[in-house]
Amino acid sequence: KNEVEQSPQNLTAQEGEFITINCSYSVGISALHWLQQHPGGGIVSLFMLSSGKKKHGRLIATINIQEKHSSLHITASHPRDSAVYICAVLGGSQGNLIFGKGTKLSVKP
Amino acid sequence: AAGVIQSPRHLIKEKRETATLKCYPIPRHDTVYWYQQGPGQDPQFLISFYEKMQSDKGSIPDRFSAQQFSDYHSELNMSSLELGDSALYFCASSTGVPGYGYTFGSGTRLTVV
């Protein structure tokens, strides 16, 4: 079993839809990252969370430390949101991330 | 704002050749992490450095070595390249508080032919 599980693996939405991507982890963590990876590979860090909720534009990320679960929400989705969204957790004391398999999001116009 | 700079962006090498990948962290970031992402796979942690010393080691092959220099840039040296080494190699940097200010470079895409 992977230490970081994401769902769904693939997601197709219509422009304007509300999108939720889920992440569950089985290890103790100090923080969780939501990352965005576009075709071509570059990774952008969207959020780093250790508790509660963060919002940036149309993106909202929440984390429940007790339940070891985090969600990434995209409101009013747009085709430019199409990318792979990766949940990665920061475990231990050394700072390296443990990555989920990613969720491939495709938003159709 | 300055970001994490990786060079080169693309690299094509033949089997058994060597390759050197470079990573320049954000100013005042003293920790560098290297990750390898094979085609269709999630990134795997290779190695990290803090204050020029190796701080953690992941699934880095013995054919690979890395170091962090006095200006905090890091180099990943890969020898006896194999076809399976073809991947996207990411570098990330952060502050001394492990993982904080985590910023990724754009990656070096290595193709071994």
Side-chain angles (χ1 to χ4, degrees):
Chain A
K1 189 181 188 304
N2 294 324
E3 292 172 298
V4 181
E5 298 273 1
Q6 281 186 240
S7 63
Q9 276 189 298
N10 293 283
L11 181 56
T12 300
Q14 287 298 127
E15 184 173 357
E17 285 185 355
F18 180 83
I19 286 162
T20 296
I21 300 170
N22 294 300
C23 174
S24 296
Y25 52 92
S26 58
V27 295
I29 70 168
S30 55
L32 180 145
H33 288 255
W34 279 104
L35 310 170
Q36 182 191 56
Q37 186 172 30
H38 279 283
I43 288 181
V44 174
S45 180
L46 299 173
F47 296 104
M48 187 178 76
L49 295 161
S50 53
S51 65
K53 176 180 175 179
K54 286 190 177 179
K55 184 176 189 295
H56 183 74
R58 296 180 293 106
L59 301 178
I60 303 167
T62 64
I63 189 169
N64 185 317
I65 296 292
Q66 287 74 31
E67 294 184 5
K68 295 188 174 180
H69 180 269
S70 176
S71 293
L72 176 68
H73 306 284
I74 304 176
T75 61
S77 59
H78 190 276
R80 66 174 174 266
D81 297 327
S82 298
V84 176
Y85 291 84
I86 303 171
C87 169
V89 300
L90 185 64
S93 60
Q94 299 301 331
N96 58 285
L97 295 178
I98 304 168
F99 290 79
K101 299 286 183 192
T103 294
K104 186 174 182 180
L105 171 65
S106 177
V107 182
K108 306 292 186 188
Chain B
V4 177
I5 306 296
Q6 287 189 248
S7 67
R9 291 294 302 273
H10 302 272
L11 189 58
I12 299 176
K13 290 284 185 178
E14 294 189 355
K15 279 182 359 180
R16 292 179 290 278
E17 283 193 319
T18 61
T20 298
L21 279 53
K22 297 184 180 182
C23 171
Y24 296 85
I26 285 180
R28 294 182 298 280
H29 279 193
D30 50 20
T31 308
V32 169
Y33 313 84
W34 286 97
Y35 295 89
Q36 177 193 55
Q37 185 178 27
Q41 298 180 7
D42 48 304
Q44 297 295 317
F45 171 66
L46 293 177
I47 195 167
S48 63
F49 293 89
Y50 168 65
E51 281 292 344
K52 293 153 277 185
M53 300 286 288
Q54 180 183 309
S55 62
D56 198 12
K57 195 171 182 180
S59 52
I60 185 169
D62 292 340
R63 297 177 291 107
F64 295 4
S65 65
Q67 62 184 120
Q68 187 179 33
F69 294 85
S70 57
D71 64 350
Y72 296 105
H73 93 272
S74 179
E75 295 184 3
L76 178 66
N77 298 295
M78 310 159 72
S79 62
S80 302
L81 287 170
E82 301 173 356
L83 296 178
D85 297 328
S86 296
L88 192 57
Y89 290 85
F90 286 106
C91 159
S93 73
S94 73
T95 66
V97 179
Y100 276 74
Y102 228 103
T103 306
F104 286 87
S106 298
T108 293
R109 185 168 294 282
L110 172 67
T111 303
V112 181
V113 297

